[in-house]
Amino acid sequence: ACHTGARAARPGVLVFLDADVRLRDDALDRAITAWRERRGLLTIWPYHRVERPYEHLSALFNVTTLMSVGCGSLLPPRRPRGGFGPLMVTSTEDYAASGGHEAVHHSVIDDFALARRYRDEGLPVVNRGGGREVSFRMYPGGFRQLVEGWTKNVGLGAQAVSPLRLLGIGVWMTCSIGCLTWVSGVPNGTGEYIYGLFAIQMLAWFKQVGSFSLLDAVLYPLHAVFFVLVFLRSLFQTFVLRRVVWRGRRLKTSAAP
């Protein structure tokens, strides 16, 4: 569908926008203005609106998604290895040079694959968070849809992350959970203090990526355990079974020739 639309578009600025993304005021104009600074490909990860209790379980996935491409990092990668599909801005010329969606039609997560095509062609890739101006609601179809959705994404997405960045995320995640076991091995109050610092950090990040609450930050270990379980499930389905399930379809995860 994206390929067909791009072929029908007149030469100039090309915007791909998921149907469930909400835009405030001049958000699209601002995105195009930001794209003009470097051109190539600009992708935006929307602010996550949560409405039902189970949707809060997406909090940590949102944070790690932005981490994976270095979005907001003190040392952002010069050439990101992935991008976000909900809102993408490019030009018809650069899109054609990258091969577009036709070149990544075999990919389960085509947004990351498309960003890699731009990168391989030497075209700039810029990733940003949408703030409250660009938002969406993920997986409104229930808990099962949420698990299947993140299972589809996190294992394959990890392949696009640089080894050093992936190691850093892993160490950070391990320490965030590990501080709960340090209480008996460190001086009185130190473990609780470290836990509190992690909770404050989580609160700051959760508030930036979606309408998550203070309770989500306080209960962040539950989020972390859920994340690890889904990640392991994703690795098993992606690299052992070589298939994932999404919206009732079984999708092969092995790349086409």
Side-chain angles (χ1 to χ4, degrees):
C2 291
H3 169 67
T4 302
R7 288 184 62 185
R10 291 177 295 180
V13 180
L14 193 60
V15 176
F16 295 96
L17 181 68
D18 282 2
D20 59 351
V21 174
R22 294 183 183 178
L23 302 174
R24 282 190 180 180
D25 304 328
D26 60 345
L28 190 55
D29 289 334
R30 294 182 64 179
I32 294 174
T33 299
W35 165 78
R36 292 188 191 279
E37 295 176 3
R38 292 187 58 187
R39 303 183 74 87
L41 178 68
L42 170 70
T43 79
I44 295 178
W45 184 255
Y47 180 86
H48 188 172
R49 305 185 316 273
V50 293
E51 297 183 13
R52 297 171 62 187
Y54 77 88
E55 295 177 50
H56 287 259
L57 291 170
S58 286
L60 202 51
F61 289 94
N62 279 272
V63 171
T64 53
T65 295
L66 292 170
M67 282 182 172
S68 68
V69 297
C71 196
S73 173
L74 293 175
L75 297 172
R78 295 178 61 184
R79 300 180 65 198
R81 298 188 176 198
F84 310 131
L87 174 54
M88 300 189 294
V89 184
T90 185
S91 68
T92 50
E93 181 182 2
D94 289 347
Y95 182 78
S98 73
H101 284 90
E102 185 179 30
V104 298
H105 70 275
H106 60 276
S107 302
V108 176
I109 48 175
D110 56 286
D111 45 4
F112 265 61
L114 183 61
R116 287 200 300 272
R117 292 286 303 183
Y118 273 74
R119 179 177 181 268
D120 292 344
E121 291 296 323
L123 297 168
V125 177
V126 177
N127 301 306
R128 295 186 177 179
R132 295 175 184 266
E133 294 184 346
V134 181
S135 65
F136 62 4
R137 182 186 175 200
M138 297 187 74
Y139 310 131
F143 176 75
R144 180 176 179 178
Q145 185 189 57
L146 181 145
V147 172
E148 287 184 350
W150 288 119
T151 297
K152 172 177 68 74
N153 290 328
V154 293
L156 286 168
Q159 293 183 102
V161 185
S162 69
L164 185 60
R165 188 171 298 277
L166 191 62
L167 176 63
I169 294 173
V171 170
W172 170 77
M173 187 81 71
T174 301
C175 290
S176 71
I177 301 175
C179 72
L180 298 175
T181 66
W182 300 341
V183 177
S184 59
V186 296
N188 260 353
T190 304
E192 291 85 345
Y193 176 73
I194 297 173
Y195 173 83
L197 290 178
F198 269 112
I200 293 171
Q201 183 186 49
M202 295 291 183
L203 179 62
W205 284 349
F206 287 175
K207 286 294 185 181
Q208 290 184 58
V209 300
S211 56
F212 301 104
S213 66
L214 173 62
L215 185 61
D216 288 312
V218 173
L219 299 178
Y220 84 80
L222 297 180
H223 286 278
V225 170
F226 179 70
F227 177 91
V228 171
L229 291 176
V230 172
F231 185 65
L232 293 175
R233 182 176 189 263
S234 180
L235 293 179
F236 179 73
Q237 291 196 4
T238 299
F239 301 109
V240 179
L241 300 181
R242 294 190 176 277
R243 60 171 172 78
V244 292
V245 178
W246 177 237
R247 296 187 182 277
R249 293 176 295 166
R250 291 189 176 186
L251 308 175
K252 293 182 179 180
T253 57
S254 55

